PDB file of all heavy atoms in Angstrom:
ATOM      1  N   MET C  12     -37.992  -0.060  65.280  1.00 98.00           N
ATOM      2  CA  MET C  12     -39.081   0.739  65.863  1.00 98.00           C
ATOM      3  C   MET C  12     -40.229   0.857  64.914  1.00 98.00           C
ATOM      4  O   MET C  12     -41.401   0.798  65.323  1.00 98.00           O
ATOM      5  CB  MET C  12     -38.539   2.123  66.244  1.00 98.00           C
ATOM      6  CG  MET C  12     -37.564   2.142  67.406  1.00 98.00           C
ATOM      7  SD  MET C  12     -36.851   3.777  67.598  1.00 98.00           S
ATOM      8  CE  MET C  12     -35.410   3.466  68.643  1.00 98.00           C
ATOM      9  N   VAL C  13     -39.956   1.090  63.621  1.00 98.00           N
ATOM     10  CA  VAL C  13     -41.037   1.060  62.624  1.00 98.00           C
ATOM     11  C   VAL C  13     -41.754  -0.265  62.609  1.00 98.00           C
ATOM     12  O   VAL C  13     -43.034  -0.256  62.562  1.00 98.00           O
ATOM     13  CB  VAL C  13     -40.499   1.453  61.254  1.00 98.00           C
ATOM     14  CG1 VAL C  13     -41.503   1.245  60.175  1.00 98.00           C
ATOM     15  CG2 VAL C  13     -40.017   2.938  61.252  1.00 98.00           C
ATOM     16  N   LYS C  14     -41.043  -1.359  62.638  1.00 98.00           N
ATOM     17  CA  LYS C  14     -41.701  -2.653  62.670  1.00 98.00           C
ATOM     18  C   LYS C  14     -42.629  -2.860  63.828  1.00 98.00           C
ATOM     19  O   LYS C  14     -43.607  -3.520  63.793  1.00 98.00           O
ATOM     20  CB  LYS C  14     -40.621  -3.802  62.673  1.00 98.00           C
ATOM     21  CG  LYS C  14     -39.923  -4.087  61.371  1.00 98.00           C
ATOM     22  CD  LYS C  14     -38.972  -5.232  61.576  1.00 98.00           C
ATOM     23  CE  LYS C  14     -37.952  -5.331  60.468  1.00 98.00           C
ATOM     24  NZ  LYS C  14     -36.957  -6.394  60.758  1.00 98.00           N
ATOM     25  N   GLN C  15     -42.290  -2.235  64.976  1.00 97.00           N
ATOM     26  CA  GLN C  15     -43.076  -2.296  66.197  1.00 97.00           C
ATOM     27  C   GLN C  15     -44.244  -1.336  66.168  1.00 97.00           C
ATOM     28  O   GLN C  15     -45.006  -1.308  67.096  1.00 97.00           O
ATOM     29  CB  GLN C  15     -42.161  -1.887  67.425  1.00 97.00           C
ATOM     30  CG  GLN C  15     -41.026  -2.873  67.694  1.00 97.00           C
ATOM     31  CD  GLN C  15     -40.042  -2.287  68.675  1.00 97.00           C
ATOM     32  OE1 GLN C  15     -39.137  -3.075  68.968  1.00 97.00           O
ATOM     33  NE2 GLN C  15     -40.131  -1.142  69.154  1.00 97.00           N
ATOM     34  N   GLY C  16     -44.397  -0.597  65.099  1.00 97.00           N
ATOM     35  CA  GLY C  16     -45.533   0.339  64.970  1.00 97.00           C
ATOM     36  C   GLY C  16     -45.176   1.813  65.004  1.00 97.00           C
ATOM     37  O   GLY C  16     -46.038   2.704  64.977  1.00 97.00           O
ATOM     38  N   GLY C  17     -43.911   2.076  65.134  1.00 94.00           N
ATOM     39  CA  GLY C  17     -43.461   3.520  65.135  1.00 94.00           C
ATOM     40  C   GLY C  17     -43.232   4.010  66.531  1.00 94.00           C
ATOM     41  O   GLY C  17     -43.595   3.352  67.501  1.00 94.00           O
ATOM     42  N   GLY C  18     -42.659   5.204  66.623  1.00 97.00           N
ATOM     43  CA  GLY C  18     -42.376   5.790  67.823  1.00 97.00           C
ATOM     44  C   GLY C  18     -41.023   5.332  68.367  1.00 97.00           C
ATOM     45  O   GLY C  18     -40.616   4.215  68.054  1.00 97.00           O
ATOM     46  N   GLY C  19     -40.417   6.143  69.086  1.00 98.00           N
ATOM     47  CA  GLY C  19     -39.120   5.760  69.681  1.00 98.00           C
ATOM     48  C   GLY C  19     -38.161   6.968  69.672  1.00 98.00           C
ATOM     49  O   GLY C  19     -38.489   8.059  69.170  1.00 98.00           O
ATOM     50  N   ARG C  20     -36.963   6.780  70.171  1.00 98.00           N
ATOM     51  CA  ARG C  20     -35.992   7.833  70.309  1.00 98.00           C
ATOM     52  C   ARG C  20     -34.608   7.349  69.907  1.00 98.00           C
ATOM     53  O   ARG C  20     -34.248   6.218  70.260  1.00 98.00           O
ATOM     54  CB  ARG C  20     -35.921   8.264  71.781  1.00 98.00           C
ATOM     55  CG  ARG C  20     -37.175   8.717  72.421  1.00 98.00           C
ATOM     56  CD  ARG C  20     -37.690  10.030  71.790  1.00 98.00           C
ATOM     57  NE  ARG C  20     -38.982  10.388  72.414  1.00 98.00           N
ATOM     58  CZ  ARG C  20     -40.174  10.176  71.903  1.00 98.00           C
ATOM     59  NH1 ARG C  20     -40.263   9.509  70.735  1.00 98.00           N
ATOM     60  NH2 ARG C  20     -41.252  10.619  72.492  1.00 98.00           N
ATOM     61  N   ILE C  21     -33.959   8.177  69.158  1.00 98.00           N
ATOM     62  CA  ILE C  21     -32.516   7.912  68.845  1.00 98.00           C
ATOM     63  C   ILE C  21     -31.712   9.123  69.336  1.00 98.00           C
ATOM     64  O   ILE C  21     -32.011  10.275  68.956  1.00 98.00           O
ATOM     65  CB  ILE C  21     -32.323   7.756  67.350  1.00 98.00           C
ATOM     66  CG1 ILE C  21     -33.090   6.526  66.850  1.00 98.00           C
ATOM     67  CG2 ILE C  21     -30.830   7.556  67.029  1.00 98.00           C
ATOM     68  CD1 ILE C  21     -33.093   6.307  65.392  1.00 98.00           C
ATOM     69  N   LEU C  22     -30.776   8.824  70.161  1.00 98.00           N
ATOM     70  CA  LEU C  22     -29.939   9.868  70.820  1.00 98.00           C
ATOM     71  C   LEU C  22     -28.455   9.657  70.372  1.00 98.00           C
ATOM     72  O   LEU C  22     -27.953   8.539  70.548  1.00 98.00           O
ATOM     73  CB  LEU C  22     -30.026   9.852  72.284  1.00 98.00           C
ATOM     74  CG  LEU C  22     -31.446   9.852  72.907  1.00 98.00           C
ATOM     75  CD1 LEU C  22     -31.424   9.568  74.366  1.00 98.00           C
ATOM     76  CD2 LEU C  22     -32.168  11.164  72.519  1.00 98.00           C
ATOM     77  N   CYS C  23     -27.863  10.642  69.858  1.00 97.00           N
ATOM     78  CA  CYS C  23     -26.462  10.546  69.444  1.00 97.00           C
ATOM     79  C   CYS C  23     -25.631  11.653  70.198  1.00 97.00           C
ATOM     80  O   CYS C  23     -25.978  12.839  70.112  1.00 97.00           O
ATOM     81  CB  CYS C  23     -26.355  10.763  67.925  1.00 97.00           C
ATOM     82  SG  CYS C  23     -27.197   9.547  66.940  1.00 97.00           S
ATOM     83  N   LEU C  24     -24.630  11.228  70.880  1.00 95.00           N
ATOM     84  CA  LEU C  24     -23.834  12.234  71.649  1.00 95.00           C
ATOM     85  C   LEU C  24     -22.791  12.811  70.754  1.00 95.00           C
ATOM     86  O   LEU C  24     -21.967  12.040  70.069  1.00 95.00           O
ATOM     87  CB  LEU C  24     -23.204  11.541  72.860  1.00 95.00           C
ATOM     88  CG  LEU C  24     -24.157  11.490  74.021  1.00 95.00           C
ATOM     89  CD1 LEU C  24     -25.302  10.549  73.848  1.00 95.00           C
ATOM     90  CD2 LEU C  24     -23.434  11.297  75.289  1.00 95.00           C
ATOM     91  N   SER C  25     -22.763  14.108  70.689  1.00 93.00           N
ATOM     92  CA  SER C  25     -21.736  14.824  69.912  1.00 93.00           C
ATOM     93  C   SER C  25     -20.806  15.480  70.868  1.00 93.00           C
ATOM     94  O   SER C  25     -20.582  15.046  71.973  1.00 93.00           O
ATOM     95  CB  SER C  25     -22.440  15.828  68.955  1.00 93.00           C
ATOM     96  OG  SER C  25     -21.467  16.399  68.122  1.00 93.00           O
ATOM     97  N   SER C  26     -20.247  16.614  70.430  1.00 91.00           N
ATOM     98  CA  SER C  26     -19.226  17.314  71.259  1.00 91.00           C
ATOM     99  C   SER C  26     -19.048  18.747  70.774  1.00 91.00           C
ATOM    100  O   SER C  26     -19.313  18.990  69.599  1.00 91.00           O
ATOM    101  CB  SER C  26     -17.886  16.590  71.154  1.00 91.00           C
ATOM    102  OG  SER C  26     -16.881  17.275  71.690  1.00 91.00           O
ATOM    103  N   VAL C  27     -18.560  19.556  71.669  1.00 92.00           N
ATOM    104  CA  VAL C  27     -18.189  20.912  71.244  1.00 92.00           C
ATOM    105  C   VAL C  27     -17.120  20.928  70.115  1.00 92.00           C
ATOM    106  O   VAL C  27     -17.030  21.834  69.351  1.00 92.00           O
ATOM    107  CB  VAL C  27     -17.755  21.803  72.484  1.00 92.00           C
ATOM    108  CG1 VAL C  27     -16.466  21.233  73.042  1.00 92.00           C
ATOM    109  CG2 VAL C  27     -17.670  23.213  72.131  1.00 92.00           C
ATOM    110  N   HIS C  28     -16.430  19.773  70.067  1.00 89.00           N
ATOM    111  CA  HIS C  28     -15.453  19.620  68.986  1.00 89.00           C
ATOM    112  C   HIS C  28     -16.017  19.699  67.547  1.00 89.00           C
ATOM    113  O   HIS C  28     -15.268  19.917  66.577  1.00 89.00           O
ATOM    114  CB  HIS C  28     -14.654  18.312  69.102  1.00 89.00           C
ATOM    115  CG  HIS C  28     -13.729  18.290  70.321  1.00 89.00           C
ATOM    116  ND1 HIS C  28     -12.371  18.405  70.245  1.00 89.00           N
ATOM    117  CD2 HIS C  28     -14.052  18.221  71.639  1.00 89.00           C
ATOM    118  CE1 HIS C  28     -11.896  18.409  71.440  1.00 89.00           C
ATOM    119  NE2 HIS C  28     -12.840  18.250  72.317  1.00 89.00           N
ATOM    120  N   GLY C  29     -17.326  19.477  67.443  1.00 90.00           N
ATOM    121  CA  GLY C  29     -18.019  19.635  66.205  1.00 90.00           C
ATOM    122  C   GLY C  29     -18.252  21.066  65.748  1.00 90.00           C
ATOM    123  O   GLY C  29     -18.538  21.360  64.630  1.00 90.00           O
ATOM    124  N   TYR C  30     -18.049  22.006  66.702  1.00 91.00           N
ATOM    125  CA  TYR C  30     -18.244  23.412  66.449  1.00 91.00           C
ATOM    126  C   TYR C  30     -16.943  24.200  66.264  1.00 91.00           C
ATOM    127  O   TYR C  30     -16.958  25.236  65.635  1.00 91.00           O
ATOM    128  CB  TYR C  30     -19.016  24.070  67.616  1.00 91.00           C
ATOM    129  CG  TYR C  30     -20.449  23.571  67.720  1.00 91.00           C
ATOM    130  CD1 TYR C  30     -20.796  22.640  68.670  1.00 91.00           C
ATOM    131  CD2 TYR C  30     -21.441  24.090  66.897  1.00 91.00           C
ATOM    132  CE1 TYR C  30     -22.135  22.231  68.787  1.00 91.00           C
ATOM    133  CE2 TYR C  30     -22.774  23.618  67.001  1.00 91.00           C
ATOM    134  CZ  TYR C  30     -23.091  22.695  67.971  1.00 91.00           C
ATOM    135  OH  TYR C  30     -24.337  22.265  68.052  1.00 91.00           O
ATOM    136  N   ARG C  31     -15.910  23.784  67.004  1.00 94.00           N
ATOM    137  CA  ARG C  31     -14.657  24.494  66.935  1.00 94.00           C
ATOM    138  C   ARG C  31     -13.494  23.564  66.819  1.00 94.00           C
ATOM    139  O   ARG C  31     -13.630  22.382  67.183  1.00 94.00           O
ATOM    140  CB  ARG C  31     -14.513  25.493  68.032  1.00 94.00           C
ATOM    141  CG  ARG C  31     -14.428  24.892  69.428  1.00 94.00           C
ATOM    142  CD  ARG C  31     -13.914  25.851  70.429  1.00 94.00           C
ATOM    143  NE  ARG C  31     -12.506  26.174  70.235  1.00 94.00           N
ATOM    144  CZ  ARG C  31     -11.734  26.498  71.188  1.00 94.00           C
ATOM    145  NH1 ARG C  31     -12.175  26.611  72.399  1.00 94.00           N
ATOM    146  NH2 ARG C  31     -10.427  26.692  70.910  1.00 94.00           N
ATOM    147  N   ALA C  32     -12.346  24.072  66.448  1.00 92.00           N
ATOM    148  CA  ALA C  32     -11.165  23.226  66.274  1.00 92.00           C
ATOM    149  C   ALA C  32     -10.115  23.439  67.394  1.00 92.00           C
ATOM    150  O   ALA C  32      -9.997  24.545  67.930  1.00 92.00           O
ATOM    151  CB  ALA C  32     -10.547  23.556  64.910  1.00 92.00           C
ATOM    152  N   TRP C  33      -9.494  22.317  67.706  1.00 91.00           N
ATOM    153  CA  TRP C  33      -8.367  22.298  68.652  1.00 91.00           C
ATOM    154  C   TRP C  33      -7.183  21.637  67.881  1.00 91.00           C
ATOM    155  O   TRP C  33      -7.385  20.913  66.964  1.00 91.00           O
ATOM    156  CB  TRP C  33      -8.652  21.514  69.915  1.00 91.00           C
ATOM    157  CG  TRP C  33      -9.421  22.261  70.872  1.00 91.00           C
ATOM    158  CD1 TRP C  33      -8.962  23.072  71.927  1.00 91.00           C
ATOM    159  CD2 TRP C  33     -10.906  22.341  71.034  1.00 91.00           C
ATOM    160  NE1 TRP C  33     -10.012  23.600  72.649  1.00 91.00           N
ATOM    161  CE2 TRP C  33     -11.179  23.127  72.155  1.00 91.00           C
ATOM    162  CE3 TRP C  33     -11.935  21.724  70.311  1.00 91.00           C
ATOM    163  CZ2 TRP C  33     -12.485  23.364  72.580  1.00 91.00           C
ATOM    164  CZ3 TRP C  33     -13.236  22.006  70.805  1.00 91.00           C
ATOM    165  CH2 TRP C  33     -13.444  22.766  71.865  1.00 91.00           C
ATOM    166  N   PRO C  34      -5.971  21.764  68.387  1.00 93.00           N
ATOM    167  CA  PRO C  34      -4.854  21.056  67.793  1.00 93.00           C
ATOM    168  C   PRO C  34      -5.123  19.500  67.823  1.00 93.00           C
ATOM    169  O   PRO C  34      -5.627  18.997  68.750  1.00 93.00           O
ATOM    170  CB  PRO C  34      -3.678  21.405  68.650  1.00 93.00           C
ATOM    171  CG  PRO C  34      -4.026  22.781  69.292  1.00 93.00           C
ATOM    172  CD  PRO C  34      -5.571  22.647  69.470  1.00 93.00           C
ATOM    173  N   ALA C  35      -4.657  18.809  66.798  1.00 92.00           N
ATOM    174  CA  ALA C  35      -4.746  17.359  66.595  1.00 92.00           C
ATOM    175  C   ALA C  35      -6.198  16.830  66.763  1.00 92.00           C
ATOM    176  O   ALA C  35      -6.477  15.839  67.359  1.00 92.00           O
ATOM    177  CB  ALA C  35      -3.872  16.747  67.737  1.00 92.00           C
ATOM    178  N   ASP C  36      -7.157  17.670  66.244  1.00 90.00           N
ATOM    179  CA  ASP C  36      -8.570  17.392  66.425  1.00 90.00           C
ATOM    180  C   ASP C  36      -9.352  17.142  65.082  1.00 90.00           C
ATOM    181  O   ASP C  36     -10.549  17.023  65.152  1.00 90.00           O
ATOM    182  CB  ASP C  36      -9.104  18.655  67.110  1.00 90.00           C
ATOM    183  CG  ASP C  36     -10.602  18.676  67.363  1.00 90.00           C
ATOM    184  OD1 ASP C  36     -11.043  17.723  68.073  1.00 90.00           O
ATOM    185  OD2 ASP C  36     -11.315  19.550  66.891  1.00 90.00           O
ATOM    186  N   THR C  37      -8.647  17.118  64.033  1.00 93.00           N
ATOM    187  CA  THR C  37      -9.328  17.039  62.717  1.00 93.00           C
ATOM    188  C   THR C  37     -10.316  15.959  62.562  1.00 93.00           C
ATOM    189  O   THR C  37     -11.470  16.248  62.281  1.00 93.00           O
ATOM    190  CB  THR C  37      -8.270  17.016  61.560  1.00 93.00           C
ATOM    191  OG1 THR C  37      -7.399  18.149  61.699  1.00 93.00           O
ATOM    192  CG2 THR C  37      -8.905  17.004  60.220  1.00 93.00           C
ATOM    193  N   ALA C  38      -9.899  14.735  62.697  1.00 93.00           N
ATOM    194  CA  ALA C  38     -10.796  13.597  62.461  1.00 93.00           C
ATOM    195  C   ALA C  38     -11.927  13.577  63.433  1.00 93.00           C
ATOM    196  O   ALA C  38     -13.092  13.377  63.045  1.00 93.00           O
ATOM    197  CB  ALA C  38      -9.971  12.240  62.484  1.00 93.00           C
ATOM    198  N   TYR C  39     -11.658  13.735  64.708  1.00 92.00           N
ATOM    199  CA  TYR C  39     -12.671  13.745  65.740  1.00 92.00           C
ATOM    200  C   TYR C  39     -13.716  14.847  65.515  1.00 92.00           C
ATOM    201  O   TYR C  39     -14.907  14.675  65.515  1.00 92.00           O
ATOM    202  CB  TYR C  39     -12.061  13.799  67.125  1.00 92.00           C
ATOM    203  CG  TYR C  39     -13.066  13.724  68.231  1.00 92.00           C
ATOM    204  CD1 TYR C  39     -13.694  12.575  68.582  1.00 92.00           C
ATOM    205  CD2 TYR C  39     -13.363  14.912  69.023  1.00 92.00           C
ATOM    206  CE1 TYR C  39     -14.557  12.481  69.626  1.00 92.00           C
ATOM    207  CE2 TYR C  39     -14.255  14.820  70.015  1.00 92.00           C
ATOM    208  CZ  TYR C  39     -14.902  13.633  70.343  1.00 92.00           C
ATOM    209  OH  TYR C  39     -15.799  13.579  71.397  1.00 92.00           O
ATOM    210  N   GLY C  40     -13.198  16.051  65.254  1.00 94.00           N
ATOM    211  CA  GLY C  40     -14.063  17.241  65.037  1.00 94.00           C
ATOM    212  C   GLY C  40     -14.924  17.099  63.841  1.00 94.00           C
ATOM    213  O   GLY C  40     -16.121  17.381  63.848  1.00 94.00           O
ATOM    214  N   ILE C  41     -14.385  16.550  62.790  1.00 94.00           N
ATOM    215  CA  ILE C  41     -15.177  16.324  61.551  1.00 94.00           C
ATOM    216  C   ILE C  41     -16.278  15.282  61.838  1.00 94.00           C
ATOM    217  O   ILE C  41     -17.392  15.466  61.369  1.00 94.00           O
ATOM    218  CB  ILE C  41     -14.253  15.908  60.389  1.00 94.00           C
ATOM    219  CG1 ILE C  41     -13.551  17.123  59.863  1.00 94.00           C
ATOM    220  CG2 ILE C  41     -15.121  15.264  59.257  1.00 94.00           C
ATOM    221  CD1 ILE C  41     -12.475  16.834  58.866  1.00 94.00           C
ATOM    222  N   CYS C  42     -15.953  14.226  62.569  1.00 94.00           N
ATOM    223  CA  CYS C  42     -16.987  13.246  62.884  1.00 94.00           C
ATOM    224  C   CYS C  42     -18.075  13.856  63.668  1.00 94.00           C
ATOM    225  O   CYS C  42     -19.309  13.641  63.458  1.00 94.00           O
ATOM    226  CB  CYS C  42     -16.342  12.139  63.707  1.00 94.00           C
ATOM    227  SG  CYS C  42     -15.355  11.024  62.661  1.00 94.00           S
TER     228      CYS C  42
END
């Protein structure tokens, strides 16, 4: 995008798992 002159969008989908913990959720939640 910078090579093209700048501007653009980067969207990354996260999850509620990044805010709270569930059983067997450690690696996914940390990510």
Side-chain angles (χ1 to χ4, degrees):
M12 291 173 195
V13 168
K14 284 183 197 174
Q15 296 168 177
R20 306 290 179 260
I21 299 174
L22 308 172
C23 298
L24 276 71
S25 186
S26 167
V27 67
H28 290 254
Y30 292 101
R31 65 166 287 209
W33 279 272
D36 178 58
T37 302
Y39 182 74
I41 286 171
C42 286

